Amino acid sequence: MKKYVWDIAWSYNEKDFEANMIKLKNYSEIVWRDVVKSKPRNWCRAFYKQGNFCEDVENNSVESFNNSILKARNKAFVPMLETIRRLAMVRIARRSAESHDHNGRCTPYVSKFLAKEFEKASECQIRRSTNDSYEATLSGISHRVSLTERTCTCQKWKICGIPCEHAYGVIIDRKFEVEDYVCFWFRTPMWRRNYTEGLVPQRGPAYWPSTNFPNVHRLPSPPQPRRKKGKENKKDKKRKKRPNESPSKKTPKKLKRIMHCGMCGEAGHNSRFHSKKKSSKQTFELAQGTQGTQVEPSQGVMMSQR
């Protein structure tokens, strides 16, 4: 699917655009509908304004810029701008030295571009016509090329500013120099001119001109919400012992609970077993009394009544 979408974006003329749209529709009609909703005429090369000599259909330049200022974005506003200025200054100086060391008539980008076009250009069948126009046939598809107007019906030459494979084939057939037909924007003198004037180095902030406006200060930190007294935080309640905690902070041992009776108040039993404990105690005391002294009959009757 990715290849079909890229082929639509890379189409140089309307016929190729329509053919690639049909290929995508045959592959997946759902994807085709989504592409139609995105208005592909806004990002397809076939509908670019001619004369700008730019064929970019992606945001690589923006991604490259964001990657270069990655460290600067974490700084404050003024230091961020100063860091970006220094990066741009060094980049322009490096490009200026590179352009002045280059000896070719065109930029290295043109050399790489034409190297890819040479294989297809050598396979073109060229037929000459009048008014310095030619018919170039490649893979059964013919296009009209005009060296005087520097145009080709595939529109690639007019969009990118560098001869396409059809025009390159005509130039090879006529034994001309291909650099003579490259747009002046891609010539080495223009490349050097772009990087001749760079950014001027600046002095430190202490030497910057002052104004009558007040200085810009850092905003104070926002107030933090206060905790209400008497209410513990949920995190404090559920706080667990951390592994790095010192061993001196030991939790106190729990005291053993002693059971007391609710009726007599004595320890060792509760109200449920109060009657059993009382009867066993009386029996024990009676047995102790009979062993030591002699009990009178009247006293025995009174004890049995108790």
Side-chain angles (χ1 to χ4, degrees), residues 151-167:
T151 58
C152 178
T153 52
C154 73
Q155 296 186 7
K156 184 177 180 179
W157 190 2
K158 200 69 175 179
I159 292 174
C160 62
I162 305 174
C164 60
E165 59 270 22
H166 311 103

Side-chain angles (χ1 to χ4, degrees), residues 24-295:
L24 178 63
K25 187 176 182 180
N26 295 334
Y27 173 78
S28 174
E29 190 171 354
I30 298 175
V31 178
W32 175 80
R33 291 175 183 174
D34 292 337
V35 171
V36 171
K37 291 179 182 178
S38 66
K39 298 179 180 180
R41 291 176 178 265
N42 295 332
W43 45 265
C44 176
R45 290 173 176 173
F47 307 98
Y48 276 16
K49 181 181 178 181
Q50 296 183 359
N52 296 328
F53 304 112
C54 179
E55 60 173 359
D56 292 341
V57 293
E58 70 284 321
N59 60 343
N60 289 345
S61 59
V62 179
E63 294 292 340
S64 177
F65 176 76
N66 288 335
N67 186 37
S68 62
I69 65 169
L70 192 61
K71 296 181 180 180
R73 291 190 302 181
N74 296 328
K75 299 182 179 181
F77 186 70
V78 175
M80 179 189 68
L81 295 179
E82 281 294 290
T83 305
I84 295 175
R85 179 189 62 80
R86 294 188 184 99
L87 291 173
M89 180 179 65
V90 174
R91 179 186 177 92
I92 293 173
R94 185 172 64 250
R95 290 293 181 89
S96 178
E98 183 181 353
S99 62
H100 283 80
D101 293 341
H102 184 66
N103 297 323
R105 296 178 58 187
C106 299
T107 61
Y109 171 76
V110 175
S111 302
K112 296 178 181 179
F113 189 95
L114 294 175
K116 295 180 180 179
E117 301 292 337
F118 179 79
E119 296 181 2
K120 296 181 180 180
S122 58
E123 298 176 0
C124 286
Q125 298 179 2
I126 308 301
R127 299 177 181 85
R128 186 173 182 178
S129 181
T130 57
N131 299 322
D132 201 16
S133 59
Y134 301 84
E135 180 182 321
T137 304
L138 179 63
S139 300
I141 301 174
S142 300
H143 288 281
R144 183 175 63 255
V145 179
S146 176
L147 296 180
T148 305
E149 298 178 359
R150 299 192 177 189
T151 58
C152 178
T153 52
C154 73
Q155 296 186 7
K156 184 177 180 179
W157 190 2
K158 200 69 175 179
I159 292 174
C160 62
I162 305 174
C164 60
E165 59 270 22
H166 311 103
Y168 198 2
V170 175
I171 294 171
I172 294 174
D173 183 74
R174 297 294 297 165
K175 297 181 181 180
F176 293 152
E177 292 292 335
V178 66
E179 288 84 0
D180 295 337
Y181 295 93
V182 176
C183 177
F184 67 93
W185 291 112
F186 299 99
R187 301 290 180 87
T188 302
M190 183 60 68
W191 185 28
R192 294 172 180 173
R193 182 181 173 184
N194 290 336
Y195 297 102
T196 299
E197 297 294 335
L199 298 178
V200 180
Q202 299 295 322
R203 303 177 74 181
Y207 300 94
W208 291 354
S210 59
T211 62
N212 297 327
F213 296 98
N215 296 329
V216 178
H217 299 282
R218 184 178 180 181
L219 293 175
S221 56
Q224 300 295 331
R226 296 182 179 179
R227 293 175 55 183
K228 295 182 180 180
K229 295 181 179 180
K231 291 186 177 181
E232 296 181 356
N233 194 358
K234 293 182 180 180
K235 293 182 180 180
D236 297 338
K237 291 182 180 180
K238 297 181 180 180
R239 183 176 178 272
K240 297 180 180 179
K241 184 179 178 181
R242 298 178 181 175
N244 297 330
E245 220 171 55
S246 59
S248 60
K249 297 181 180 180
K250 295 182 179 179
T251 56
K253 295 183 179 180
K254 294 183 179 180
L255 299 176
K256 189 176 181 180
R257 183 182 176 185
I258 301 175
M259 184 170 49
H260 290 78
C261 179
M263 299 180 67
C264 63
E266 295 183 1
H269 69 280
N270 54 15
S271 59
R272 182 179 178 184
F273 300 96
H274 172 75
S275 58
K276 295 181 181 180
K277 287 284 183 180
K278 187 176 181 180
S279 60
S280 62
K281 184 177 180 182
Q282 289 176 355
T283 306
F284 176 77
E285 290 177 353
L286 182 60
Q288 290 291 334
T290 54
Q291 290 178 5
T293 58
Q294 188 176 359
V295 182

